[in-house]
Amino acid sequence: MATTLKIALVGNPNTGKSTLFNLLTGLNQKIGNFPGITVDKKTGFCKLSATQQAEIVDLPGTYSLYPKSRDESIVFQVLADKKNSSHPDLIVLVADATNLRRNLLLYSQVADLRIPVVLALNMTDMATKEGININIDELSKRLGIQVVAISARSKTGLEALKQAIANTTTIPTQVDGTDVNVLAAAAIDETKAILATDNDYFALQILHQHEHLEIYTAQQHANFEQIKKSHQFESSKLQAAETIARYRYLSTVLSGVIEDTGASKKFAFSDKIDSILTNRFWGFFIFLFILFFIFNAIFSWSAYPMSLIEGAFGWIAKTGHEYLPDGILTNLLLDGVVAGLGGIIVFIPQIAILFALISILEDTGYMARVTFMMDKIMRKFGMSGKSVVPMIGSFACAVPSIMSARNIENWKDRIITIMVSPLVSCSARLPVYTLLISLIIPDTKLFGFVSMQALALMGMYLISIIAAVTVAFVMKFMIKATEKSYFIMELPVYRMPRWSNVLFTMYEKSKTFVFEAGKVIIAISIVLWVMATYGPSEKFQQIETKYAKIEMQKDSVQISTLERDKSAEKLENSYAGILGRSIEPVIKPLGFDWKIGIALITSFAAREAFVGTMATIYSVDNGEENPGTIRDKMREARNPETGLPVFTFATGFSLMLFYAFAMQCMSTVAVVYRETKSWKWPLIQTVYMTAMAYVASLIAYQFLK
C-alpha cells in the first residue's frame, strides 16, 4: 500500500511555485509571470514511486514568514500549527536561482522551524544564460539539505526533485543558522516553557504573530502579551535585527558558492525595454495602443468564425422547422434550447481571443509593468499599485480578482479595491457590448484600418475604468482609516510567453464560459420560452379568434403579415410579456421596452443571460418566418408606436451603460460577502452600482434620443 507524504511548496512570489505544482500534480492551477497569482492554498497529488505518493500543497508566495497581507499569513498558519490539515511532513522551498541571496532569506526562516526541507533551485537555465554559476554540491553541504537544480518552465530536473523528496527523512538535517535567542533570550525562554518546545525560532515567531493563530486559548494569548510587555518586546525592531543577522549568515553561506560573470549586463535587456514601456509619457500611450490592439483583434479576428457559427445555428433552426413535426417539443427545442445555445457559442471566438492576448501580456511580464506605472495614479484615487492586479484581473472576472485583493496589506485600500473591481468590464459584459455595438455602430474603418466598432468597445472598457477610479476617489474620503500603505513589487524579467499556457487559457476560459454561464443561460432560455409561449388562456383565445376572422376575410395585405402579427401579439400577452410590461414604466425613461425589461430581469443573476434572453424572445416573436441571426432580428425590430428601430444609438448606448455599471452577478455578491465577512459591503455595492447604472442610462438616453 502506498504511503502518502504531505509536502508544502513555499517560496517568494513569482518563483514558479504554481508551475512546479502543475507539473508535479498534473493539475492546471493559473500561472503567470506576475506576482500574487496564488492567494490561497491549493492541493494536488503526485506519485513519487510505486510505494510512495505525495500530497502537494501550494502555499501563497511570501518574501518572509512575517505576513504583510492576508494571503501571506496563510503560510505561517500552516507551518506553525501541527494540527492544521495542510501541515507538511516536508517543505520544498522553491527559490529563484537568478536571485538566490534574496530568496534564501525565507529559506533560513523556514529551516529554523525544524521541518525537513528540500531546496529546489528553479530557473537554473535562465541563471546560466545570465552568467550565474551555482555550486550546487557546496551549497547543499553548507545548508545540510538536498539542493536540486530544476527549471519548471522547461520541465527539467523534475525526476531528480522527486527522488530527493523520496529520499528525505522525517528528521530535519538542516544546519543551524542564525542564533535568534540573543535577540530576546528571556522572552523566548518563557514562551518555550508555555509551548513546551525547545525551538527558539518557533517561540520567537509566536511572540511576533500569535494573534494570527487560532490554535491558542484566550489565556495563552494573554500570557504571550504579558511576556512581551514584561520584556519590552518591540516586534518591528527585533524583526529588523533578525533580518540583518540572517543576511550576515547568508553572506557566509554563499561566499564562493555563486560565481556571477554576467552581472554587468544581466539587466541590460530588461532595462532597455523598460525605459520605453514604463516611460512616464510613452508608457501610457503604448498601454492604450495595446488595449486598442486587443479590442480591434476581438472584432476583426472573430468575424469569420462568428459568422460560421451564426450560419450553422441558423441552418439548424431552419432545417429543424422544415423536417421536424410541428408541435411544442419542436418549438421548445429550436426556439428555446437551440436559440439560447447559439446565443452563447457564437461568442466563443471573442472570449478566446481576449484571454489569449491577456495571457500573453501576463506571461511576458508586461502586466507587472502596468501595475508599476499605475501606482502613482492609483494613490491619488485612494488605492495603491497593488489594486491594479485585481482590477486588471477583473477584465476576465471579478470573482477571482476580488479574492486576489487579499495581497493588499492596507485595509482601506483593500476594501476600496473590492468595492470598485466589479465596475471594470468583465468577460460576461463582452457579449452584451459586442452585440449592441454591432447594432448601433457601423462596421467602417477610419484611415482604412481603425475599426469604429473596436474604438467603441475600447471606449466601453475605458468608461468602466474611469468609473472605477472615480468611485474609488469618492470612497477615499468616505472610508476612514489611519493605516498607511506602501507598494513594493519586484519586476519580473521579460520572457517569451508559454504558448501551451496561452492555448490552455483560451480553452479553459471558453469552456468555463460555455459550461458555467451556459448552464444558467440554457435554463433561463427554457423557462423563458415557456413564459413567452404561454399566457392567460382567455387572452390567447381572443387573439386566436381575432386572427381567424382576419384569415377568413382574406385581406391580402393583412394575410401577408398575419403569422408575424399573431406571434408578436401573443408574445406581448404571454407571461413573459406581462412581466416585462410590469416594469416598463420604470425603464421606459431609459429607452428600454418591455422585451429589454425581460432581459434585465433574467440577467440579474448573471449578465451573460442578456444575449440568450434576446435570442429566445426574438425567436419566439418571429416564429418560423425569420430564421436569421439574433443580430438580424434585433436590427429589424421596430417600435410599434413610432415604427422606428428599437435599437437606436440612444437606446443601445443607454443599455450598454446600464450593463457597464449594474451589479448583475450573484457570484460577485457572494465572494464580496466571503472576503469582507459582512453583508454590509455587498449591500452597499449592489445599491450604489444599480443607482449608478440607472442614472447613467437615464442621462445618456435623454440627451441622445
Side-chain angles (χ1 to χ4, degrees):
M1 184 176 171
T3 56
T4 301
L5 192 67
K6 194 166 285 181
I7 297 171
L9 297 185
V10 178
N12 288 182
N14 209 35
T15 52
K17 280 189 307 88
S18 297
T19 305
L20 180 60
F21 174 82
N22 289 343
L23 290 172
L24 290 173
T25 62
L27 298 177
N28 287 300
Q29 176 77 8
K30 178 177 170 58
I31 54 177
N33 188 14
F34 200 57
I37 293 289
T38 308
V39 293
D40 207 347
K41 59 186 178 189
K42 306 288 179 190
T43 305
F45 288 87
C46 166
K47 189 173 181 181
L48 298 174
S49 67
T51 58
Q52 196 174 31
Q53 67 171 356
E55 181 183 347
I56 313 285
V57 182
D58 184 19
L59 294 173
T62 180
Y63 291 105
S64 151
L65 282 184
Y66 297 109
K68 297 290 186 292
S69 57
R70 282 188 63 201
D71 58 327
E72 290 184 2
S73 68
I74 293 171
V75 179
F76 186 66
Q77 286 168 12
V78 168
L79 301 185
D81 180 7
K82 291 184 178 176
K83 293 180 181 175
N84 189 300
S85 60
S86 298
H87 184 76
D89 304 309
L90 168 71
I91 294 170
V92 173
L93 195 129
V94 184
D96 178 356
T98 64
N99 198 350
L100 189 56
R101 180 183 167 84
R102 196 210 59 215
N103 280 238
L104 286 187
L105 174 68
L106 177 63
Y107 161 78
S108 69
Q109 292 178 323
V110 168
D112 283 352
L113 291 178
R114 307 307 296 172
I115 299 171
V117 183
V118 169
L119 180 60
L121 290 187
N122 195 17
M123 308 183 206
T124 46
D125 51 348
M126 290 190 65
T128 304
K129 281 182 188 173
E130 291 177 6
I132 300 171
N133 297 310
I134 301 171
N135 187 333
I136 303 287
D137 294 337
E138 184 60 27
L139 181 62
S140 174
K141 185 180 168 186
R142 292 186 184 184
L143 295 178
I145 59 169
Q146 296 181 84
V147 179
V148 184
I150 67 167
S151 172
R153 199 177 174 90
S154 57
K155 303 179 184 178
T156 58
L158 295 180
E159 288 307 315
L161 179 61
K162 285 183 184 178
Q163 191 60 50
I165 292 170
N167 292 339
T168 304
T169 66
T170 56
I171 301 169
T173 59
Q174 49 265 39
V175 172
D176 289 336
T178 309
D179 181 9
V180 295
N181 191 272
V182 298
L183 297 173
I188 289 174
D189 289 341
E190 286 185 31
T191 307
K192 281 163 61 180
I194 294 175
L195 298 172
T197 178
D198 60 355
N199 189 322
D200 289 343
Y201 190 56
F202 181 67
L204 180 65
Q205 279 285 348
I206 295 302
L207 285 173
H208 278 302
Q209 48 179 322
H210 65 90
E211 63 273 16
H212 297 304
L213 301 172
E214 296 175 355
I215 52 177
Y216 299 116
T217 63
Q219 183 58 51
Q220 285 175 311
H221 284 297
N223 290 341
F224 297 141
E225 284 302 314
Q226 183 57 41
I227 292 171
K228 289 168 70 173
K229 189 176 177 183
S230 60
H231 294 286
Q232 298 178 329
F233 187 92
E234 294 184 55
S235 191
S236 55
K237 283 187 178 178
L238 289 171
Q239 285 182 33
E242 181 195 326
T243 303
I244 293 168
R246 288 191 182 281
Y247 273 121
R248 279 201 198 107
Y249 162 69
L250 291 173
S251 293
T252 308
V253 170
L254 294 177
S255 175
V257 169
I258 299 179
E259 184 187 8
D260 191 347
T261 59
S264 60
K265 52 183 180 181
K266 188 187 306 180
F267 300 109
F269 178 67
S270 282
D271 287 347
K272 280 180 184 173
I273 299 179
D274 279 343
S275 66
I276 301 169
L277 293 186
T278 62
N279 182 281
R280 287 183 181 179
F281 182 75
W282 291 111
F284 289 101
F285 278 100
I286 292 169
F287 181 49
L288 286 176
F289 174 78
I290 290 173
L291 280 183
F292 174 72
F293 175 81
I294 291 173
F295 298 126
N296 197 48
I298 287 172
F299 270 104
S300 306
W301 299 356
S302 67
Y304 185 65
M306 284 181 77
S307 175
L308 283 179
I309 295 170
E310 282 182 329
F313 275 89
W315 179 84
I316 291 171
K318 185 180 177 184
T319 309
H321 278 297
E322 280 178 13
Y323 290 99
L324 291 176
D326 287 339
I328 294 174
L329 284 178
T330 298
N331 291 338
L332 171 61
L333 176 68
L334 298 177
D335 299 335
V337 177
V338 172
L341 198 62
I344 303 161
I345 292 179
V346 72
F347 292 102
I348 286 179
Q350 292 184 333
I351 297 281
I353 291 168
L354 172 67
F355 281 103
L357 295 174
I358 287 178
S359 177
I360 289 171
L361 294 182
E362 285 184 353
D363 233 17
T364 52
Y366 179 71
M367 278 299 190
R369 270 74 185 177
V370 173
T371 306
F372 166 74
M373 282 196 299
M374 292 292 177
D375 181 51
K376 271 193 175 178
I377 297 174
M378 286 297 174
R379 283 186 185 286
K380 292 177 182 172
F381 291 95
M383 297 182 285
S384 75
K386 279 196 172 180
S387 303
V388 178
V389 177
M391 288 181 70
I392 287 177
S394 294
F395 282 131
C397 179
V399 173
S401 302
I402 287 170
M403 290 174 66
S404 71
R406 289 177 191 176
N407 68 8
I408 300 174
E409 300 86 355
N410 183 286
W411 174 84
K412 182 177 174 179
D413 288 358
R414 182 167 172 264
I415 282 292
I416 292 177
T417 305
I418 288 174
M419 294 298 281
V420 304
S421 287
L423 282 171
V424 176
S425 286
C426 63
S427 59
R429 291 176 173 108
L430 182 62
V432 181
Y433 291 161
T434 53
L435 176 62
L436 294 172
I437 286 172
S438 69
L439 294 176
I440 64 171
I441 305 292
D443 184 15
T444 54
K445 289 187 169 52
L446 287 175
F447 313 114
F449 67 95
V450 179
S451 165
M452 291 290 289
Q453 293 185 336
L455 279 178
L457 182 62
M458 182 173 166
M460 289 310 300
Y461 276 76
L462 290 179
I463 285 172
S464 76
I465 295 170
I466 292 168
V469 294
T470 305
V471 172
F473 184 70
V474 173
M475 287 187 173
K476 172 184 171 183
F477 297 102
M478 295 176 71
I479 299 175
K480 303 296 180 189
T482 55
E483 204 178 348
K484 288 187 177 178
S485 65
Y486 56 90
F487 178 49
I488 301 172
M489 183 181 186
E490 181 184 7
L491 291 181
V493 295
Y494 289 103
R495 293 174 187 151
M496 281 295 289
R498 285 161 284 196
W499 298 111
S500 58
N501 184 40
V502 173
L503 289 173
F504 176 77
T505 304
M506 290 171 69
Y507 165 74
E508 189 65 17
K509 296 298 180 185
S510 302
K511 190 180 83 172
T512 302
F513 176 71
V514 171
F515 286 94
E516 297 296 323
K519 281 186 285 191
V520 177
I521 293 170
I522 289 294
I524 289 175
S525 297
I526 293 173
V527 172
L528 199 59
W529 178 87
V530 174
M531 289 181 67
T533 305
Y534 296 96
S537 55
E538 189 181 338
K539 277 275 185 189
F540 268 44
Q541 188 57 49
Q542 288 173 3
I543 294 168
E544 288 290 348
T545 306
K546 174 186 169 182
Y547 283 93
K549 284 181 183 174
I550 293 172
E551 199 168 8
M552 287 175 66
Q553 289 169 359
K554 299 187 177 177
D555 182 329
S556 60
V557 176
Q558 289 184 314
I559 290 290
S560 65
T561 60
L562 186 138
E563 282 303 321
R564 189 192 65 196
D565 294 344
K566 188 164 77 171
S567 295
E569 198 164 336
K570 275 189 167 182
L571 177 63
E572 195 171 346
N573 288 280
S574 66
Y575 293 118
I578 292 168
L579 186 65
R581 289 277 183 202
S582 68
I583 66 165
E584 195 171 26
V586 179
I587 60 174
K588 199 166 185 179
L590 312 184
F592 306 161
D593 65 8
W594 58 273
K595 292 179 186 171
I596 298 173
I598 296 170
L600 294 183
I601 292 171
T602 57
S603 56
F604 179 76
R607 45 181 74 91
E608 308 95 311
F610 172 81
V611 177
T613 300
M614 298 312 278
T616 304
I617 289 284
Y618 279 95
S619 291
V620 174
D621 191 14
N622 286 273
E624 300 171 23
E625 287 191 344
N626 182 5
T629 67
I630 175 62
R631 278 185 286 191
D632 295 337
K633 291 171 185 173
M634 291 175 70
R635 192 175 287 116
E636 291 165 9
R638 291 287 183 274
N639 184 321
E641 294 175 9
T642 63
L644 296 172
V646 170
F647 292 94
T648 60
F649 180 79
T651 301
F653 186 57
S654 168
L655 193 51
M656 284 198 290
L657 285 180
F658 191 90
Y659 275 87
F661 300 146
M663 169 61 90
Q664 294 166 297
C665 181
M666 295 305 290
S667 302
T668 301
V669 173
V671 81
V672 171
Y673 167 72
R674 180 183 154 191
E675 293 298 306
T676 60
K677 300 193 186 320
S678 163
W679 279 112
K680 172 187 164 185
W681 298 109
L683 280 174
I684 292 173
Q685 196 174 40
T686 304
V687 170
Y688 97 74
M689 288 181 68
T690 306
M692 261 182 80
Y694 191 89
V695 173
S697 295
L698 179 68
I699 294 171
Y701 181 72
Q702 294 301 326
F703 269 99
L704 295 171
K705 71 177 180 178

